Amino acid sequence: MSTGAVHTSAVLPNGTVPPQEQGSDRAVVRAEVEDFLFAEAAALDEWRLDDWLTLFVPGAAMQVPTTDVTGLGPENAGYFVADDWDLVRARVKRLKSRKAHAENPHSRTNRLVSNVRLTERAGDQLRVSANFVVNRFRDGGEFTYVGRYDHLLQVQPDGLRFLLRRSVLTNESMNPGARLSFIL
Amino acid sequence: MTMIDSPGATAVDERLEVGNTLIAQDWEALTFKVHRSAYRENAVFNRERNEIWGHTWLYLGHETEIPEAGDFKTRTLGGRPLIFVRDRHGTVQAYLNACPHRGTILCREPEGRAKNFQCFYHAWTFKNSGELAALPDSDAYPQDSAFVESLSLRTVPRLGIHEGFVFVAFDEQVPDLLEHLGKAADVMSMTASIGPSGMTTVPGVQRYSVKGNWKLAVENAMDGYHFAPTHNTFVGYLRETGFAVNDDAQYAHDLGDGHGLAVLTGHNGRIGMIWEPRFGEREKIRTEAKRKELVARLGAERAAAVADSSKILFVFPNLLLFDLEALTIRQLEPVEPGVTDVRAWQLVERDEPDDVRALRLKTMASFVGPGGLATPDDIEAYEAVQRGVVATADLDPFGGFADTDLDWSDMSRGMADDLTGPRGRSIDEGVMRSFWRHWSRRVGELPGIGPDASRLGGVA
Ligand code: FES
Ligand SMILES: [Fe+2]
């Protein structure tokens, strides 16, 4: 059983072993991680989803735990999002379709990422945490998603990539109109 | 499923009767319409709170959410805060979550384990079995035991459990739970029999709210007609993973008393029962073994009924059981005419291998819930209905719109089948109609709401 909280091994919290490619043990400082996360936020706010996919190591996973359980992995608990790589890509394909009704028209989002910390480093893997506020507007309504990122990144010679992208909500529940039809 | 296919115990005419003028049913024209005030009026909502939520069995939760003595969850049903707890004797209890002293919310935690519940206001303390345990400075109170007993926690008037599903009622006079569940009881038993050592909920509850009337959530779950257009992108994902989807041989059953069942054979990859490519090769082998186990335990006929089709069961008024690729329990709690709180639990086989559990939970999350690939479009659909049904408010039968029946939603699809029995096609609207008929009989006439009956010749 994995806790999803801290991982030094090369095993994702969903039990799979991430693909190994072009890992690097070069040094990484916080500014690089911040740039990576800021660029990701911009890609998502601008709905450049193909660009966003290039930020992942193929085979990576994405998770959003439910608001009551944050310590268990998706093999032990109900989740909002427990995507393997197939599902991450299916999600992007879906969201690019005009027939993703829940996001047609798209939500307008504005993301603030801060409190970025590099919490662990093992070989080419880097555990990163950050806080986020995602403001989402649609249908004349607005909702604020507050939480923290708990990502596992792979350090590559030319940059960083997601091995596990995990958004942990601080909200007590998804309030009216707050469905997670976009990428949190 | 012989039992479900057989004619209902309810007399046909009674099953087809409507109870208020918010439903316009015309057997000659084969039209069935629901007045849109039913989705938006406070007066309707208040009547539902009284007549339905106040006097019917309501789904509270699953026994496995509180496995150990002292385990509790707090939860709201029909607007009443409750404590759902397994007491020191191992008995499942539901208390009104309010201090008998002055009404303070007694337990302010969403969940936990407790021997006692202490009110923070004046520190009265209650055992998890309900008795008053401590009363600070008690010398100012009468000293007899009758007085102390009168200060016990207030339990709900009725509590019943079927196959681990816990229901409560705020009215002593409701029929016994099994009588209320009727034919739905056996469908629940089928779902409960999937795991050789039973079923259990897992932690991680999807808690969300929708900006839509609770009845729209019921309609949506019982509405096979929307599947292809609304879930185009999800169907696309299924096709890409090598899975065909079709609408053939899919049925919807009126189970009586507002309960409904959709039986889907056209979209039926089922973990442990019917393999499909996206489940992976390992699961293929396990599915064969698991299916043999099911036949040995339940017999071939029952095993087929359990395993060969996906099912969506609605238990009037607040429980939906999605027995699909994997299993989800969904509970509805109306908050306002246009707002519904939803909770969803994943139901899994006890003692199943870790990789199967992981596959099951991933598969369900990929479809169901506000972050899935399908449910957000359902939510979009009924939130969009809620936004749209105000457009026609009060436009008929007045003025230039007098003959146009603008403020009604049409649910006539497949209506001729209603006369032949309680089974129709899942891509028709028969179960929605049976739900609305039952609803209208529970709610009764609402004078001043909806169409002015005196102006509406012959719609009722
Ligand atoms: S209100 Fe609870 S002890 Fe007084
Ligand atoms: Fe749907």
Side-chain angles (χ1 to χ4, degrees):
Chain A
M1 187 176 106
S2 63
T3 63
V6 172
H7 283 273
T8 50
S9 69
V11 180
L12 294 181
N14 64 3
T16 60
V17 179
Q20 298 298 306
E21 60 165 52
Q22 317 113 314
S24 165
D25 56 7
R26 70 182 173 80
V28 173
V29 296
R30 195 180 69 228
E32 181 182 352
V33 175
E34 286 178 336
D35 284 345
F36 176 76
L37 295 177
F38 296 165
E40 190 220 7
L44 288 173
D45 284 345
E46 292 158 22
W47 284 88
R48 290 184 282 108
L49 297 180
D50 286 323
D51 292 350
W52 178 72
L53 267 190
T54 67
L55 303 177
F56 285 76
V57 175
M62 179 165 79
Q63 300 171 353
V64 182
T66 52
T67 48
D68 56 337
V69 170
T70 55
L72 292 167
E75 67 284 359
N76 300 102
Y79 262 58
F80 286 125
V81 174
D83 285 359
D84 58 13
W85 182 236
D86 281 352
L87 278 163
V88 173
R89 286 179 301 167
R91 192 175 287 278
V92 165
K93 183 168 183 206
R94 162 181 152 71
L95 288 174
K96 286 166 61 185
S97 159
R98 282 193 310 111
K99 297 200 169 159
H101 308 293
E103 282 297 334
N104 180 22
H106 286 329
S107 300
R108 297 171 180 222
T109 61
N110 184 288
R111 291 152 205 267
L112 302 174
V113 179
S114 82
N115 300 43
V116 176
R117 289 184 300 148
L118 284 50
T119 52
E120 269 180 59
R121 175 73 189 255
D124 63 355
Q125 294 193 10
L126 185 62
R127 168 92 23 197
V128 162
S129 80
N131 284 354
F132 65 79
V133 176
V134 180
N135 296 292
R136 169 171 162 268
F137 301 84
R138 192 172 181 273
D139 297 340
E142 63 177 290
F143 192 73
T144 305
Y145 305 79
V146 179
R148 69 185 163 81
Y149 289 133
D150 179 18
H151 298 325
L152 188 64
L153 304 181
Q154 186 179 58
V155 181
Q156 298 190 353
D158 62 337
L160 302 168
R161 300 283 186 282
F162 288 111
L163 280 169
L164 171 67
R165 185 185 186 281
R166 186 174 156 95
S167 312
V168 182
L169 287 159
T170 307
N171 304 68
E172 290 179 302
S173 72
M174 291 291 89
N175 283 7
R179 55 187 153 65
L180 293 168
S181 47
F182 64 108
I183 310 271
L184 183 65
Chain B
M1 283 185 292
T2 350
M3 196 203 72
I4 292 159
D5 287 341
S6 65
T10 323
V12 169
D13 3 343
E14 196 190 318
R15 181 170 66 79
L16 299 177
E17 262 168 30
V18 297
N20 67 35
T21 53
L22 298 182
I23 309 293
Q25 172 168 270
D26 182 335
W27 288 108
E28 252 141 60
L30 290 176
T31 57
F32 189 97
K33 293 179 181 181
V34 174
H35 197 264
R36 292 175 180 171
S37 58
Y39 302 107
R40 51 176 197 239
E41 294 288 337
N42 272 315
V44 174
F45 181 86
N46 292 338
R47 182 70 76 86
E48 287 171 338
R49 267 279 164 87
N50 285 327
E51 298 304 320
I52 299 177
W53 260 258
H55 298 287
T56 315
W57 286 99
L58 304 171
Y59 180 64
L60 172 64
H62 199 268
E63 244 189 317
T64 59
E65 292 179 68
I66 46 170
E68 306 287 335
D71 285 351
F72 71 86
K73 309 267 173 180
T74 54
R75 195 153 289 169
T76 300
L77 274 188
R80 298 176 201 272
L82 301 172
I83 306 174
F84 174 37
V85 60
R86 190 175 291 273
D87 74 14
R88 62 188 64 214
H89 314 297
T91 307
V92 172
Q93 301 275 12
Y95 303 109
L96 302 180
N97 189 4
C99 181
H101 181 211
R102 296 256 286 279
T104 312
I105 287 272
L106 187 60
C107 178
R108 293 170 296 152
E109 301 287 335
E111 60 187 3
R113 185 173 293 172
K115 284 200 170 69
N116 300 304
F117 296 105
Q118 185 178 52
C119 179
F120 78 95
Y121 200 178
H122 310 93
W124 290 20
T125 305
F126 305 86
K127 296 179 185 172
N128 63 20
S129 44
E131 305 91 345
L132 183 69
L135 184 61
D137 300 324
S138 63
D139 47 347
Y141 289 102
Q143 298 301 310
D144 57 303
S145 60
F147 176 74
V148 168
E149 267 162 42
S150 76
L151 300 180
S152 294
L153 289 182
R154 310 294 192 248
T155 55
V156 294
R158 297 286 293 276
L159 185 147
I161 305 177
H162 175 61
E163 301 280 17
F165 296 89
V166 181
F167 292 82
V168 296
F170 298 122
D171 174 0
E172 191 80 49
Q173 304 304 317
V174 292
D176 286 343
L177 177 61
L178 273 183
E179 196 184 318
H180 164 75
L181 293 175
K183 293 173 179 179
D186 189 50
V187 184
M188 297 168 80
S189 299
M190 282 197 244
T191 299
S193 71
I194 288 172
S197 27
M199 306 297 287
T200 183
T201 52
V202 293
V205 185
Q206 294 179 340
R207 297 179 52 176
Y208 60 101
S209 304
V210 294
K211 290 185 190 173
N213 188 274
W214 68 278
K215 299 185 290 301
L216 294 169
V218 177
E219 288 178 3
N220 177 267
M222 292 288 110
D223 171 19
Y225 188 32
H226 83 279
F227 191 81
T230 299
H231 300 304
N232 179 284
T233 61
F234 183 69
V235 171
Y237 162 70
L238 292 180
R239 290 221 168 90
E240 271 170 31
T241 60
F243 191 70
V245 184
N246 69 66
D247 286 334
D248 296 345
Q250 313 217 54
Y251 296 103
H253 302 260
D254 171 3
L255 300 185
D257 290 340
H259 314 316
L261 173 72
V263 178
L264 312 171
T265 52
H267 165 210
N268 60 356
R270 291 165 63 68
I271 288 167
M273 292 173 274
I274 299 172
W275 182 81
E276 63 174 279
R278 73 178 154 134
F279 297 161
E281 286 304 311
R282 235 164 94 180
E283 178 63 6
K284 189 173 192 174
I285 297 158
R286 201 193 71 93
T287 299
E288 281 164 23
K290 162 83 188 150
R291 184 60 190 260
K292 285 202 186 99
E293 184 279 322
L294 211 56
V295 170
R297 183 159 48 88
L298 304 177
E301 200 184 325
R302 182 75 169 178
V306 169
D308 283 351
S309 55
S310 295
K311 299 170 194 73
I312 302 174
L313 174 71
F314 171 61
V315 178
F316 189 90
N318 73 333
L319 169 66
L320 282 155
L321 197 55
F322 294 85
D323 184 348
L324 306 173
E325 298 104 309
L327 295 143
T328 297
I329 300 168
R330 188 183 293 173
Q331 179 191 57
L332 306 174
E333 165 73 1
V335 179
E336 293 170 19
V339 177
T340 306
D341 281 352
V342 184
R343 285 169 195 267
W345 295 261
Q346 311 291 5
L347 188 64
V348 301
E349 293 182 31
R350 258 187 224 280
D351 308 326
E352 67 190 342
D354 290 350
D355 58 332
V356 178
R357 173 81 45 98
L359 174 68
R360 187 190 288 284
L361 295 176
K362 177 197 87 173
T363 303
M364 211 60 206
S366 76
F367 180 167
V368 169
L373 300 190
T375 301
D377 293 331
D378 288 318
I379 298 172
E380 170 78 2
Y382 49 86
E383 288 188 347
V385 173
Q386 194 73 38
R387 286 197 289 149
V389 295
V390 297
T392 49
D394 299 328
L395 286 186
D396 66 34
F398 302 112
F401 298 105
D403 305 319
T404 51
D405 282 1
L406 278 183
D407 202 20
W408 297 81
S409 288
D410 186 280
M411 279 169 226
S412 311
R413 194 176 154 86
M415 185 161 163
D417 290 350
D418 295 6
L419 293 170
T420 62
R423 187 179 93 159
R425 299 189 305 167
S426 72
I427 52 169
D428 287 340
E429 291 162 343
V431 175
M432 286 156 58
R433 285 188 292 274
S434 64
F435 163 74
W436 276 107
R437 289 185 194 111
H438 182 79
W439 174 89
S440 69
R441 294 190 297 259
R442 300 275 333 196
V443 164
E445 292 296 355
L446 290 138
I449 300 296
D452 178 348
S454 67
R455 291 173 181 246
L456 293 173
V459 291

